[in-house]
């Protein structure tokens, strides 16, 4: 009955596993998009060396930084919008 006082209901083991699997899929997808995007921008398809040169390394560093910065901003905006919608719908019909 903790949900009556603002607490979250307890998740079952199956729900916890499903949530963990979903999170792993999201992180894997983000990593794959990051890798593909930054490699495409920073590493030429006709590379001749086994190691990154200085320019490629700097480009990858900046690309990863920008990718995470944008990802964080989008996540924050989506969370704020979800909280705003929840606040609007959650406050209806319970006046005392």
């Amino acid at each position: 009955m903790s949900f009556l006082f603002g607490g979250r209901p307890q998740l079952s083991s199956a729900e916890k596993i499903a949530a963990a699997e979903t999170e792993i899929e999201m992180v894997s997808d983000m990593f794959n998009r990051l890798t593909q995007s930054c490699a495409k921008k920073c590493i030429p398809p006709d590379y001749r060396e086994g190691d990154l040169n200085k320019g490629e390394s700097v480009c990858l560093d900046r690309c990863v930084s920008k990718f995470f910065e944008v990802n964080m901003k989008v996540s924050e905006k989506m969370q704020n919008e979800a909280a705003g919608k929840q606040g609007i719908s959650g406050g209806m019909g319970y006046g005392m």
Side-chain angles (χ1 to χ4, degrees):
M1 299 228 315
S2 66
F3 63 90
L4 293 176
F5 301 105
R8 291 185 178 172
Q10 297 296 321
L11 298 176
S12 69
S13 292
E15 290 172 325
K16 289 178 183 178
I17 291 171
E21 288 174 345
T22 301
E23 187 172 353
I24 289 171
E25 287 177 16
M26 289 175 21
V27 170
S28 296
D29 178 59
M30 183 179 70
F31 175 78
N32 289 333
R33 286 185 290 120
L34 167 86
T35 304
Q36 290 173 354
S37 175
C38 291
K40 185 177 179 180
K41 290 178 185 177
C42 299
I43 302 173
D46 62 340
Y47 58 89
R48 295 181 180 90
E49 301 171 14
D51 295 332
L52 296 173
N53 65 35
K54 179 81 171 175
E56 293 166 342
S57 181
V58 169
C59 179
L60 286 170
D61 186 48
R62 288 181 180 161
C63 182
V64 170
S65 178
K66 287 178 183 179
F67 189 93
F68 279 117
E69 184 179 337
V70 168
N71 191 20
M72 289 301 295
K73 286 181 180 181
V74 169
S75 295
E76 288 173 9
K77 184 161 180 69
M78 290 177 68
Q79 286 176 355
N80 290 340
E81 287 181 8
K85 288 180 183 177
Q86 185 179 18
I88 291 171
S89 65
M92 302 299 244
Y94 291 106
M96 286 193 192

